[in-house]
Amino acid sequence: MDISLIIFAHLAAIVLALFIDFIVGDPEHWPHPVRFFGAQISWCDRLFNRGKHRKLKGITPPLFLFFWTVIASGIFIYFCYHLSYIFGIVIEGLLISTTIARTSLEKAALEVHEPLHAENIDGARASVGMIVGRDTDTLSKGEVTRATVETVAENVSDGITAPLFFALFGGAPLALFYRAVNTCDSMVGYKNKQYMEFGYCSARLDDLLNLIPSRTTAFALVLGYIHKSKYTLKEVLSIVKRDARKHPSPNSGFLESAVAGLLGVRLGGVNTYKGVVSHRAHMGNPDQELKASMIKETIQIMNRGVLYYSVFILIGGGLFVALTWS
């Protein structure tokens, strides 16, 4: 298969993956690669996160998962395409769909919005506690909204557009590897005594893989929603330029500051993790009060941004195929 045919197959699989995610999302009891990734990472953690040279040993989770996602899945997909070109696209589309979570992210955000809108603050706190790591028992309505908006903004790239970006260039194997590294970071990439060294490789690799997707996704979010925002393109981009690098993550700040600028709100501030207070830099200007309706507005920003990003990928890949074939 020449390169143009490979890219065409990736594009077809990406379209199928987006359709599958839109229709079924991530059914709770279906088998999912992330559960397998988690089991592998936990095994590496128990076996290697001890004694000396923990930073060196920290390469084991990404290395093991590279074997399963890139090598093993690559061989499997190759044989699927060998059996039938259409069969290969279907299998690859199914695998890519497991790496994206637009429907699940929207559902999780709405499960916070509904009780919050109904003035059920305890229910909203419980729901937001399922998707954030901070303490939620005493959060106000505004803080529940902030936590939800920040989580949706940050996960647009991690859970949707970054896998699509890697799927364009490497199909399901590269999308799966990205998702595996992202899972490594979420499990062992902490700056505490237990994982400071062992999780270093996973955290830095996740940062590296997200450099381009996070920035291009932030741009897609802005382009997709600027005509509905109260603020101009210049105003929103100036906020991104001013605030994005204040975030402790080299990537998440671009997404959070873009959403903050579009909504006209201030994100960041004081969070508490297991009783320990953490101060996050502010993103955006406090022109608008944080309220429950902004969760739905953030979902719209996400959906429009994902649509724009998907179109960019399809057009870019399509142009490459057209130029190669001509």
Side-chain angles (χ1 to χ4, degrees):
M1 230 192 293
D2 63 30
I3 186 64
S4 59
L5 204 55
I6 291 172
I7 294 295
F8 181 81
H10 292 341
L11 292 175
I14 286 170
V15 171
L16 179 60
L18 288 166
F19 181 74
I20 292 170
D21 179 72
F22 180 78
I23 297 298
V24 301
D26 286 326
E28 186 176 350
H29 300 294
W30 285 22
H32 198 285
V34 171
R35 297 190 185 97
F36 173 73
F37 299 158
Q40 290 286 302
I41 296 163
S42 295
W43 178 78
C44 289
D45 185 15
R46 292 192 302 271
L47 191 63
F48 298 109
N49 190 13
R50 61 178 69 182
K52 298 179 179 179
H53 310 300
R54 293 192 188 192
K55 186 177 285 189
L56 180 62
K57 294 175 183 176
I59 68 172
T60 54
L63 196 60
F64 272 91
L65 291 173
F66 178 85
F67 170 79
W68 289 112
T69 58
V70 176
I71 299 176
S73 74
I75 293 171
F76 171 66
I77 291 168
Y78 172 81
F79 280 107
C80 289
Y81 275 106
H82 185 71
L83 291 173
S84 165
Y85 189 69
I86 299 299
F87 181 63
I89 289 175
V90 171
I91 295 300
E92 189 160 37
L94 283 168
L95 289 173
I96 293 172
S97 73
T98 66
T99 69
I100 57 179
R102 189 210 62 82
T103 299
S104 298
L105 187 55
E106 178 176 326
K107 180 182 177 183
L110 288 174
E111 287 176 352
V112 179
H113 172 268
E114 289 171 6
L116 194 62
H117 181 70
E119 302 293 332
N120 178 7
I121 185 64
D122 289 334
R125 288 168 177 163
S127 293
V128 78
M130 301 296 290
I131 59 173
V132 300
R134 70 194 71 173
D135 301 339
T136 61
D137 292 346
T138 61
L139 294 184
S140 65
K141 286 182 64 177
E143 288 299 297
V144 169
T145 298
R146 177 171 74 86
T148 309
V149 169
E150 288 173 352
T151 298
V152 172
E154 183 175 348
N155 282 284
V156 175
S157 180
D158 288 355
I160 311 170
T161 55
L164 295 178
F165 174 83
F166 287 105
L168 175 65
F169 298 102
L174 209 55
L176 286 166
F177 179 65
Y178 166 79
R179 199 77 171 94
V181 170
N182 191 247
T183 306
C184 284
D185 180 52
S186 67
M187 291 183 65
V188 301
Y190 296 106
K191 295 180 178 179
N192 57 28
K193 184 177 180 180
Q194 183 178 1
Y195 292 115
M196 180 67 77
E197 293 188 37
F198 186 73
Y200 180 84
C201 177
S202 295
R204 296 292 76 78
L205 184 56
D206 184 67
D207 288 342
L208 179 64
L209 292 179
N210 273 300
L211 281 176
I212 296 175
S214 63
R215 287 152 178 77
T216 51
T217 299
F219 189 61
L221 294 176
V222 174
L223 284 186
Y225 201 76
I226 194 64
H227 67 287
K228 296 194 70 175
S229 175
K230 297 177 182 178
Y231 305 93
T232 66
L233 179 62
K234 183 179 179 180
E235 289 171 333
V236 175
L237 291 179
S238 69
I239 287 173
V240 175
K241 182 179 179 181
R242 183 192 73 191
D243 295 340
R245 288 180 173 82
K246 296 178 183 177
H247 199 282
S249 163
N251 302 311
S252 298
F254 287 88
L255 301 155
E256 290 189 22
S257 59
V259 171
L262 290 167
L263 293 175
V265 300
R266 173 175 283 174
L267 301 178
V270 178
N271 298 328
T272 304
Y273 300 89
K274 296 182 179 179
V276 179
V277 175
S278 172
H279 295 270
R280 288 287 179 90
H282 287 120
M283 306 274 153
N285 300 323
D287 299 330
Q288 308 288 331
E289 180 185 355
L290 281 160
K291 47 192 177 183
S293 61
M294 288 180 173
I295 295 175
K296 279 195 168 183
E297 196 170 351
T298 303
I299 292 172
Q300 290 183 37
I301 294 171
M302 174 188 74
N303 286 334
R304 288 174 178 271
V306 170
L307 176 62
Y308 270 60
Y309 203 90
S310 301
V311 170
F312 294 156
I313 283 177
L314 294 176
I315 290 175
L319 285 173
F320 177 85
V321 171
L323 290 172
T324 305
W325 278 351
S326 63

